[in-house]
Every structure is written in structure tokens, then in C-alpha cells.
Amino acid sequence: MTKRTLAWTTTTLLAAACAPAIAQGVGGCSPPGWVMTFDDEFNGFNLDTTKWRAENAALIKNNELQYYAPANVVVNNGVMSLISRRQNMGGRQYTSGLVETRGKFSQTFGRFEYRAKMPRTRGLWPAFWMLPENGQWPPEIDIMELLGHDPFTVYMSNHWGVWPNVPYQTTAFTGPDFSADFHTFRVDWFPDRMEFYVDETLRAIHTQAVPAQPFYMIINTAVGGNWPGNPDATTVFPQSHVVDWVRAYRRDGGLNRLANGGFETQASGNRPANWTFSGAAYAEPFSPRSAADAGKLFGRFTGAANTSTMHQEFAAAAGERWRATAYWMNNSADRMQGANFASTIVEFRTAAGALISSVSDRSLDANSPLNEWQRVVVTGVAPAGTARVRLVLQFSQPAMAAGAAFMDDVELVPVEFCPADVDRSGFVDSDDFIVYVDAFGGGETCADFDESGFTDSDDFIAFVTAFSNGC
């Protein structure tokens, strides 16, 4: 069957399967590499108090002017609206809404995201943010903040230190009018960094003072305060902060097994610590994706075909599924040339170190886009006899062409679930097909089955193939 025929079949299958998925109200699937731990689609008519607590107080912070009233939190028509009004209550001239998962859900590390449409007008301050479950402040993670008089700019921040000395790192992103339509905002929080996304595009990486304790989620709209300023004659009420859904995930299989996956620690001669290397393998501050350094591989210019490599390996067992993720870049200042290429390789070996099998991806060559970090994912199942799994980053130089391969933020994790088990039930059945088709039809991030960074017919083909194979 040709690819064109498969693409046509995809359309036919969608037409047949989307309707039952919507009718049954099947929820979303987990993105590749993640397991959902929290989800609220706001499909009822009341706030789910098993997940959220609605604030009922005139909080004293930042010289804000609102009273947070539970009545200002409205769930209807598949969304939650936090409504801000000019209304006297509890000694304040304004009311608004705040919900939080404190005491109901918290998590250390993971992905936290929501889809929302912002209020606008001077003096409003909507936010999606996180605080420690133990009640201490700082630290604080601000996934999204916006000032109502500038609905085109969102801010992503983290705060640390000890009061009153509270340093912070913040990044502003200016884009569309975030009050005109719904947009997604998220943070992927790892032990060594926080990656902030707007509409699935990476907008910031923060590496300073990354916290490592359980945090809970907060969604609110403040009125007035030190940062946005107070409402004035131009301010229009009421305003609504409308939330379509909120989701949280943890890494499938846990945290990265690699040490120094960001190449931030060097041994002598700029060699990357914790990696076993051969040939021209280094770490250096040359256009890193995150933090201060990236890895670099290039040829040895021997006149004959040669390779340069870095690897780490760990205990493994037959039947385990392992996933390697790496970001590669073809940098114009030292671009790949000739027939040179770089690879991401997952090897399965015996206890004595003998190679049993491997899976690989040709991750970079002279035709790769310039100055763009490309995400590469390689997944393999350990065959019989496996005692060790090895991740290899390799540069191959068939002749004498110049150029180097740069890589950063490399991970190797055991994967708990079969990829076709999209609803994470522990087995593959018709529910997985329904959930996936629903997610694909809705353009959900988790429908990116081949982890290319976008959703297209290739994802559907890959899912159907995995589903047909039972994994």
C-alpha cells in the first residue's frame, strides 16, 4: 500500500471513529514519554472538589484589591470561568476567582499544562502557577502570567531564595492576543531545568535554582497589585479567565538514567564527565540548547572511515522497553559536510558486554536544517539475554569532510507502557483506538505518535501499525 493510499485511509478511519469517541466522552491520551497523573476537562456543571479548592478570602499579598469568592468560579459548557467583577465583598471593591489543588494533588517534577483564554483590561492579572505543598515560599513556579493591559505578552518565571531575598528568573514572550482565543501553556519540569512552552513551542529554558519538592497548581485572576497596577477609567468589568482543561503528567519510566545528560560537567580537556568516549568527543559552551554547555562530536581526519562516540550503559533485562531522547543541531559555524552523519543508538548487550542487537536513528547529516535543535527519539525492546543497555552518540566520518555534530539534553529512560496503550490501561484494546482517534481528530499533542514535534498522517500510520502489532 502506498503512503498516499494510507493517508486516504486515515481520513476514512477518522470519519468512522471520531463520532463514537466523542459520544462516549473518552478523555485525552498521554503524550509520548509521559503518564497522566491529573486531568480535569470541566465537563460537568460544578467544580470538582476532589481536585480543586476554591478560595474564599481577602488574601493580603502584593497590594491586590480582590476578594476571592467561590461564586466567581463557574463550571459550564465544558470550561471553568474565573469571573472578575466590580463588586463589594469582604472589605474589597472587587471580586474574582482562585482555585488550587493544595491538599488534593501535588507532584515533584513532571509536565503541567492548561488551555485557557485570558481576560483583558487594565488592572487584571491572570496566572497559572505552582507553590510547594509544604506551605513554604519561595520557591515558586509561574507557568503563565499576563497583565490585562497587554494581552499580547505572557511571562514565565521561577523564584527562589529566602524572604526577603528572593531572586528570580523570568522570560517574556510576545505573540498573539491571548484574550482573543484559547492557547496552551505548560512547563516540563526536570531535576536540572524547566522548559516553558506556549502553544507547544519552546519559549524558555530556566536552569537556575530548580526546585525539587512537591508543588501544587493554582489558577487565579488578581485585580490590582504592585505589578499590574490598579483598575482605572479604561477598565471594563466583568472579565473572565476561561479554562478549557488542566493536565499533569510524570515521566514514563521515571527520571533520566543518564548522568550529565546536559554536558554541564567536564573532566580534563573539556571531555564530558560520566561519559565513556572515543575519538573527538567534547563538551563546550557553543550554542547550547539549555544551560551553559552542549556536547560536540566530530571526525578524526585519519583519511579512512572513522567514528567518534560517547556512551553510558546501565543494567537491563529482557523484555524491558527503553527510550533514548536527544537534541541534535547542525550549527552553521561548524556545519556538517560531505557524507558525515551522526546517530543515536540504543544497544542491548550481554553481561560480558557482547552486543546482541541495537536500534538507531540517523540523527544529523549535511542536509539537516541549520541552527535548529532537532529532537530525536529511539525506542527498543531488550531481547533475550540482555543484561545491559547502552546509549551511544556517534559521529561517522567516511572520508575527510569537515563539520561537527552538537547535542544536548540527552535522556535514557525505561518505558513502562507499550506505545499503543494510549489510555495507559496496561493492555491494548479498542479503547486505545478510540482515545487515539479522538486525540488525533482534535489535534492533541499526545497524538504525535512518532514524536516528530507535530501531528500528521505519519502519526496515524505509526499508531495503526503499533496497534495492529499489539504494542
Side-chain angles (χ1 to χ4, degrees):
M1 183 181 288
T2 67
K3 187 170 182 178
R4 178 172 296 177
T5 303
L6 282 169
W8 177 88
T9 304
T10 297
T11 304
T12 306
L13 286 167
L14 281 171
C18 272
I22 294 170
Q24 295 180 30
V26 177
C29 54
S30 295
W34 300 89
V35 178
M36 184 177 286
T37 54
F38 181 95
D39 177 36
D40 198 341
E41 308 291 321
F42 302 109
N43 289 328
F45 296 95
N46 296 288
L47 185 69
D48 187 343
T49 56
T50 67
K51 299 177 179 179
W52 302 98
R53 185 188 76 89
E55 184 62 87
N56 186 7
L59 300 180
I60 301 174
K61 60 171 69 175
N62 306 312
N63 290 315
E64 296 166 15
L65 304 177
Q66 78 288 328
Y67 185 98
Y68 285 123
N72 290 44
V73 179
V74 178
V75 176
N76 199 4
N77 296 321
V79 297
M80 175 182 69
S81 298
L82 306 182
I83 304 172
S84 302
R85 298 185 174 97
R86 192 187 303 273
Q87 176 186 19
N88 292 325
M89 182 176 290
R92 302 284 177 87
Q93 294 179 323
Y94 305 93
T95 60
S96 194
L98 180 153
V99 296
E100 62 183 16
T101 64
R102 179 164 56 96
K104 302 175 185 291
F105 171 80
S106 62
Q107 183 172 295
T108 305
F109 310 128
R111 173 174 292 183
F112 304 82
E113 62 180 347
Y114 90 147
R115 182 173 185 263
K117 182 167 65 173
M118 298 298 111
R120 65 181 299 163
T121 206
R122 183 167 295 278
L124 290 196
W125 181 7
F128 175 39
W129 52 302
M130 303 172 67
L131 287 176
E133 183 67 40
N134 65 10
Q136 294 179 353
W137 182 87
E140 174 182 325
I141 301 172
D142 299 316
I143 303 169
M144 189 289 308
E145 295 180 280
L146 178 143
L147 304 179
H149 63 270
D150 178 14
F152 300 91
T153 303
V154 292
Y155 301 86
M156 300 149 280
S157 310
N158 61 299
H159 305 254
W160 64 92
V162 178
W163 175 260
N165 180 25
V166 185
Y168 64 91
Q169 182 177 9
T170 194
T171 301
F173 168 70
T174 299
D177 181 350
F178 292 105
S179 70
D181 204 349
F182 287 90
H183 297 269
T184 59
F185 306 91
R186 90 171 195 244
V187 65
D188 289 356
W189 171 24
F190 301 99
D192 61 341
R193 68 192 188 280
M194 290 177 282
E195 300 180 352
F196 294 90
Y197 293 77
V198 178
D199 291 328
E200 313 307 330
T201 299
L202 180 66
R203 299 299 181 186
I205 300 176
H206 292 184
T207 58
Q208 298 185 54
V210 177
Q213 63 188 99
F215 274 57
Y216 64 91
M217 297 181 289
I218 308 164
I219 306 172
N220 73 296
T221 305
V223 180
N226 299 334
W227 191 20
N230 295 339
D232 62 16
T234 68
T235 303
V236 178
F237 287 103
Q239 292 285 328
S240 293
H241 181 175
V242 186
V243 182
D244 186 14
W245 47 255
V246 182
R247 298 168 186 164
Y249 309 85
R250 64 171 174 81
R251 289 293 281 172
D252 183 358
L255 299 178
N256 190 10
R257 291 296 192 271
L258 300 177
N260 197 29
F263 307 101
E264 303 307 318
T265 306
Q266 288 85 50
S268 61
N270 291 335
R271 295 289 194 171
N274 303 106
W275 293 85
T276 300
F277 50 83
S278 66
Y282 298 93
E284 61 177 57
F286 195 88
S287 301
R289 178 178 180 268
S290 67
D293 295 288
K296 179 180 180 181
L297 292 168
F298 55 94
R300 289 183 274 184
F301 297 95
T302 62
N306 66 91
T307 62
S308 295
T309 66
M310 301 185 195
H311 78 262
Q312 292 187 42
E313 67 175 49
F314 305 89
E320 292 179 343
R321 183 180 299 274
W322 288 81
R323 182 186 62 249
T325 304
Y327 290 86
W328 293 85
M329 184 174 68
N330 186 12
N331 195 298
S332 59
D334 196 1
R335 63 183 298 170
M336 301 280 285
Q337 298 183 40
N340 293 344
F341 67 95
S343 304
T344 307
I345 308 168
V346 176
E347 298 179 344
F348 298 104
R349 294 175 173 266
T350 67
L355 178 65
I356 303 173
S357 67
S358 66
V359 289
S360 64
D361 178 89
R362 182 171 170 137
S363 307
L364 210 63
D365 58 30
N367 296 316
S368 297
L370 294 175
N371 304 322
E372 296 180 12
W373 285 103
Q374 304 289 323
R375 184 169 183 257
V376 172
V377 180
V378 176
T379 302
V381 178
T386 295
R388 309 288 294 175
V389 59
R390 175 181 293 186
L391 171 63
V392 183
L393 306 176
Q394 180 172 295
F395 183 97
S396 298
Q397 186 186 45
M400 290 287 284
F406 295 86
M407 58 279 182
D408 207 351
D409 298 326
V410 185
E411 295 186 346
L412 180 67
V413 297
V415 182
E416 295 178 355
F417 293 96
C418 159
D421 181 18
V422 293
D423 66 358
R424 299 300 191 250
S425 64
F427 48 88
V428 177
D429 58 15
S430 60
D431 287 342
D432 296 297
F433 191 89
I434 293 170
V435 169
Y436 183 77
V437 169
D438 187 31
F440 185 91
E444 296 276 355
T445 307
C446 61
D448 180 17
F449 197 81
D450 63 5
E451 300 187 79
S452 64
F454 50 88
T455 302
D456 58 13
S457 61
D458 289 342
D459 296 294
F460 197 92
I461 294 166
F463 167 73
V464 170
T465 300
F467 183 87
S468 300
N469 293 334
C471 198

